[in-house]
Amino acid sequence: MIHPLLVPGILGLPSWLDFQPFLVTGLALGGVYALSGVGMVVLYRATGVLNLSFGAVGAMGALIAWSLTNHSTVPQGVAWLACILFSAVVTLAYGMVFGAALAKRDPLVKAAATLGLTLVLLGVMDLLWTTSGGASRSITLPSDNSGFMIGQIQVVWTQVIGLAVGIVMTIVTALFLRYTKLGTAMRAMANDREITATLGVPVRRVEAAAWFGCGVLSGIAGLLLADLVALDATTLTFLVISSVAAALIARLRSIWITFVAAIVIGIVDSMITPIQSLTNYRDMTPFVLAAAALLLFSRRGSVPLSGEGL
Amino acid sequence: MSNHQQLSRIRVSLALVAAVGMTVLAGCGSSSSSSSSTSTASSASSTSSSAVASSTSSCGPKPGQAATGTPIPLGAINTKEPGTDFTDIENMEGAYFACVNANGGVNGHPIKLFKLTEATQPAQNAADAKELVQTDHVVGISGSSSIIECAINSSYWQKLGYYVIAAGIAPECYATPNYADVNMGPRYSSDGAVQYVLSLKPSKIVFDQSNVPGTGYIAAGPAALASAAHVPITQLTENVPISDADAVALKEVDDAGPDGAVVLNFTPPEALVILQAAQKLGLEDRVKAWACSTPCDTDFLSTTLGPKWNDKFFVNAELTPPDPTNTPTMNLYKAILKQYGSDVSGGIGSFSEMGFTMGEIAVHALDGIKGAYTMKAVNQAFVNVKDFNTGMLCEPWTYGHYPLHIANNVDYTVTPDNGKMVIKQGCTAISSVDPQIAAYRKAAGG
């Protein structure tokens, strides 16, 4: 009988020991993807909008935080709050203006409209925070400077925070949806918006809360990803792809499946890195996993059509 | 609630949202006000700019007297896309020309630089070249730096008789008769970085670079050097922009091993995210040495990385290191950058040095023209540049009628030292073990 830990070596893969640090980085990124994915799913279920501007909004928030930290006397904590506040306000403003105007349009139109916001924000970021030449920016959280060892693996506190925030926000969101009046209204809207409205639920206010919450999450995710990945407008904007994939795997319905899918995407993406033959294809991970999951669901006939709550 | 009340509520909400948004943007405005404080700083620096003016006045023949003759139109094409941006190069050349124009110009003529960008799209490159020739009527090309421009346009320039002065990347920038570069480009600069780490006797080298066109050509140089030294080399490529720097840094260190060396060939922002990730994960001491090709030679990189990388990270420098150098040319470069280089976002560094050097060469060539500034006269002047001391390179620069041009093939190695880049190794010839270097030296009679 072959010991499981010897299998990688036999297949010409790096040893399990070599994989371990990648597991840590994958878990951290997966946690932040989960945070983003949960925000997107909740918003989709409450408003019918797949918010593709999630990454761009967080990116601009992070760049604002960078500017406040580096070009003013604003304390770092206030700069982070400004990032979250900006993301929340922009997302809410978009939701109030365009969300309402597009409420009766096809989901595809609604999603495409958020791409419009993405492009506008990308343009503004390119204008205000030019990336010309050799300079670049970075956000360093205090948690980057300390960590601990697990065996021979260095774990930085920011990585722990990335995973923890993903877990905590998923649990908090689940509890919020289950036990609060607003959460119940959101779940009701997820099932049937029209009936919910006829029952006297203030649909607009519930939608506004969903937009605002999604914005807050995009600000938090923007800050964490700016530290864990890079403070670059394009990079952060398109990192949303991994979260979208996780949300799609969950059929834009279950925040728990979104959470698990995001963690899996983060881990697989990272664990592929040391495998020479696959490393250049790792950017495909979210697409491949999402496509595989959707194919599997459709083959097993387990695609829920309606009525399944968050 | 009536519709009217609802509408009022929405309006109030929108007003609140707008107010909060404005507050946040006003906070961000400290960034804009940092722009305006940059302007204020500019005015502050223009207060001190009398001091600067005296040092920049040496860039032209008539200090303080603006050139009023017919403009000499030159053109440049630079890559600008996410993860790769070379526009500091043409912007710095533009700054140099602005200085020359403000101080008498070239025989009384100001130089007008048409700066175009491309995003690694062949059709766009071809269109840019045609726009420069047919719309802007440029009489010379100087200041180009693009990932694929040479590959796309080399035959076009050759057919029209343009001799391009560039900071090259693609093989055609070095292996064709109508391009000559002030830099060594990624291949020979990577050669330089690998050559230095080989002197540290590593057990293995990991060479990692951006996954862009031409990686095979670049990788051939380091591979030849490592092979000649009997040191195994692993070649890696990364998609840019890098979205998983922690994993990339871990992979490089794991592949190299404790006695190995990691050599990077990325633009500064990409190199920075890898090195910062390595620093965060405590990987800087897990290999014998880290090295990088020329783009990493910027103060901002050494400042951002901090002292942990002092004498641990070695960067090939194709041009004279600016920090420890106090020559009239270097001081002029810094003064021009300060006074005219507001759009050179990277500041002091290889990219702006390249732009400055190309400006110097172009002005030197144009200065020697006695008649009209026609396309033919300008390009003849460009190709005839011989043994011109730019003050920014290890050796005098020559264009010449050669089938290939690697005009800059002797370089420095620098290392971070508390926020500055200092010289680790003086001018050293890139090894002729690279067959292209050997071919050029033979063609140029070196």
Side-chain angles (χ1 to χ4, degrees):
Chain A
M1 178 108 177
I2 299 170
H3 191 282
L5 292 181
L6 296 177
V7 172
I10 293 166
L11 295 175
L13 301 174
S15 68
W16 170 239
L17 198 64
D18 293 332
F19 274 122
Q20 287 173 10
F22 295 92
L23 181 63
V24 174
T25 61
L27 278 170
L29 278 180
V32 188
Y33 294 157
L35 172 74
S36 313
V38 166
M40 293 170 87
V41 169
V42 171
L43 181 70
Y44 180 80
R45 296 306 291 158
T47 67
V49 179
L50 179 60
N51 183 16
L52 298 174
S53 66
F54 192 96
V57 171
M60 189 151 168
L63 283 165
I64 288 171
W66 177 85
S67 289
L68 290 174
T69 309
N70 290 279
H71 296 290
S72 73
T73 52
V74 171
Q76 216 172 22
V78 176
W80 301 339
L81 281 178
C83 165
I84 296 167
L85 184 63
F86 168 83
S87 305
V89 167
V90 167
T91 308
L92 175 64
Y94 176 87
M96 296 306 289
V97 177
F98 295 97
L102 298 171
K104 294 197 184 308
R105 302 298 297 272
D106 191 79
L108 192 61
V109 174
K110 294 179 192 174
T114 63
L115 271 183
L117 176 61
T118 304
L119 294 175
V120 168
L121 292 177
L122 268 176
V124 172
M125 285 187 276
D126 198 33
L127 198 68
L128 293 180
W129 293 276
T130 177
T131 54
S132 172
S136 75
R137 305 167 186 86
S138 60
I139 281 184
T140 307
L141 302 178
S143 49
D144 286 344
N145 301 323
S146 56
F148 55 92
M149 301 289 287
I150 300 179
Q152 293 194 335
I153 317 301
Q154 168 79 30
V155 181
V156 181
W157 281 113
T158 310
Q159 293 174 319
V160 178
I161 291 170
L163 179 61
V165 167
I167 295 170
V168 168
M169 290 312 292
T170 308
I171 293 171
V172 167
T173 307
L175 294 175
F176 168 79
L177 292 169
R178 182 78 181 82
Y179 293 110
T180 66
K181 205 173 164 186
L182 190 58
T184 308
M186 281 184 189
R187 284 194 295 137
M189 283 174 63
N191 285 336
D192 196 312
R193 190 175 190 274
E194 296 301 321
I195 293 175
T196 309
T198 55
L199 289 173
V201 173
V203 169
R204 279 291 188 71
R205 221 181 299 164
V206 175
E207 284 182 340
W211 281 105
F212 187 82
C214 182
V216 168
L217 292 184
S218 75
I220 297 171
L223 267 183
L224 285 170
L225 288 171
D227 179 282
L228 287 170
V229 179
L231 180 55
D232 174 72
T234 314
T235 308
L236 293 180
T237 297
F238 293 105
L239 270 181
V240 77
I241 290 170
S242 297
S243 309
V244 171
L248 287 176
I249 289 171
R251 303 290 299 164
L252 290 160
R253 289 174 193 281
S254 162
I255 57 171
W256 289 108
I257 299 177
T258 303
F259 173 80
V260 173
I263 295 287
V264 169
I265 288 172
I267 291 174
V268 172
D269 195 337
S270 190
M271 298 279 270
I272 284 176
T273 309
I275 304 172
Q276 291 284 353
S277 53
L278 295 177
T279 189
N280 281 347
Y281 305 103
R282 64 186 187 278
D283 288 350
M284 293 162 58
T285 305
F287 302 102
V288 172
L289 290 181
L294 292 177
L295 274 173
L296 188 70
F297 291 154
S298 64
R299 276 189 148 233
R300 293 172 60 182
S302 61
V303 179
L305 295 174
S306 65
E308 192 176 302
L310 284 160
Chain B
M1 191 188 296
S2 72
N3 283 344
H4 180 73
Q5 279 175 312
Q6 264 189 335
L7 273 173
S8 310
R9 232 170 216 218
I10 291 167
R11 278 190 198 123
V12 171
S13 310
L14 280 173
L16 272 173
V17 164
V20 178
M22 291 299 283
T23 314
V24 172
L25 281 173
C28 168
S30 53
S31 127
S32 334
S33 82
S34 95
S35 293
S36 36
S37 70
T38 315
S39 321
T40 326
S42 317
S43 24
S45 69
S46 58
T47 328
S48 67
S49 92
S50 27
V52 173
S54 61
S55 45
T56 56
S57 61
S58 62
C59 65
K62 294 179 181 169
Q65 197 175 321
T68 53
T70 324
I72 304 168
L74 299 182
I77 301 170
N78 281 196
T79 296
K80 180 177 170 60
E81 64 184 8
T84 309
D85 188 333
F86 299 140
T87 53
D88 265 6
I89 294 174
E90 60 186 9
N91 287 339
M92 185 62 207
E93 188 182 42
Y96 183 82
F97 291 157
C99 182
V100 172
N101 295 345
N103 292 286
V106 179
N107 298 321
H109 297 276
I111 299 171
K112 185 170 184 181
L113 183 65
F114 291 89
K115 300 183 284 189
L116 299 184
T117 60
E118 59 83 29
T120 327
Q121 292 168 10
Q124 192 186 11
N125 273 275
D128 277 359
K130 287 188 173 61
E131 183 181 331
L132 287 175
V133 173
Q134 294 167 8
T135 307
D136 303 327
H137 304 291
V138 299
V139 293
I141 305 293
S142 174
S144 286
S145 188
S146 152
I147 292 172
I148 60 169
E149 195 274 329
C150 302
I152 304 301
N153 293 331
S154 61
S155 55
Y156 181 68
W157 299 129
Q158 198 168 349
K159 192 175 80 180
L160 297 182
Y162 281 86
Y163 285 92
V164 179
I165 299 170
I169 295 161
E172 289 81 359
C173 301
Y174 299 90
T176 55
N178 285 57
Y179 278 93
D181 304 278
V182 294
N183 66 331
M184 293 194 296
R187 170 164 170 164
Y188 310 111
S189 178
S190 297
D191 280 3
V194 168
Q195 191 170 318
Y196 183 79
V197 294
L198 281 171
S199 71
L200 304 175
K201 311 281 181 209
S203 59
K204 186 181 179 185
I205 288 175
V206 170
F207 179 66
D208 200 359
Q209 57 177 326
S210 311
N211 189 11
V212 294
T215 49
Y217 161 77
I218 296 166
L225 266 70
S227 168
H230 306 292
V231 174
I233 184 167
T234 298
Q235 307 269 7
L236 303 173
T237 57
E238 310 299 336
N239 295 332
V240 287
I242 290 171
S243 59
D244 51 353
D246 287 5
V248 170
L250 277 167
K251 177 179 62 170
E252 290 166 348
V253 168
D254 281 357
D255 275 359
D259 284 326
V262 177
V263 180
L264 307 175
N265 178 41
F266 291 93
T267 57
E270 301 301 330
L272 178 66
V273 297
I274 295 174
L275 295 167
Q276 275 188 319
Q279 183 173 305
K280 202 164 56 183
L281 299 174
L283 303 177
E284 63 269 39
D285 293 322
R286 288 261 304 269
V287 291
K288 198 166 196 173
W290 292 77
C292 187
S293 56
T294 288
C296 293
D297 180 20
T298 66
D299 282 353
F300 109 85
L301 204 83
S302 55
T303 310
T304 314
L305 287 173
K308 281 184 177 176
W309 296 86
N310 292 357
D311 224 21
K312 186 76 190 174
F313 178 50
F314 305 101
V315 182
N316 177 264
E318 300 167 33
L319 294 100
T320 304
D323 290 333
T325 309
N326 184 21
T327 61
T329 309
M330 190 57 75
N331 293 337
L332 178 64
Y333 153 72
K334 290 173 184 171
I336 290 177
L337 182 62
K338 190 174 179 186
Q339 192 173 353
Y340 297 96
S342 58
D343 54 355
V344 183
S345 65
I348 290 175
S350 302
F351 284 8
S352 54
E353 281 191 276
M354 288 173 199
F356 174 88
T357 308
M358 283 188 276
E360 278 187 295
I361 295 169
V363 167
H364 165 75
L366 294 171
D367 209 29
I369 296 174
K370 296 301 170 204
Y373 286 93
T374 62
M375 188 279 273
K376 195 175 174 187
V378 167
N379 284 282
Q380 201 56 50
F382 279 7
V383 77
N384 284 341
V385 173
K386 187 172 170 59
D387 291 337
F388 173 57
N389 185 5
T390 63
M392 299 295 273
L393 305 173
C394 275
E395 294 197 328
W397 193 88
T398 294
Y399 203 124
H401 288 281
Y402 307 135
L404 74 169
H405 297 90
I406 311 172
N408 179 359
N409 55 67
V410 181
D411 67 336
Y412 301 84
T413 299
V414 296
T415 188
D417 183 18
N418 298 318
K420 297 283 180 193
M421 286 291 189
V422 298
I423 296 176
K424 182 68 184 174
Q425 184 183 60
C427 288
T428 306
I430 299 297
S431 170
S432 294
V433 166
D434 185 324
Q436 291 294 108
I437 294 281
Y440 172 73
R441 287 190 179 135
K442 190 177 173 192

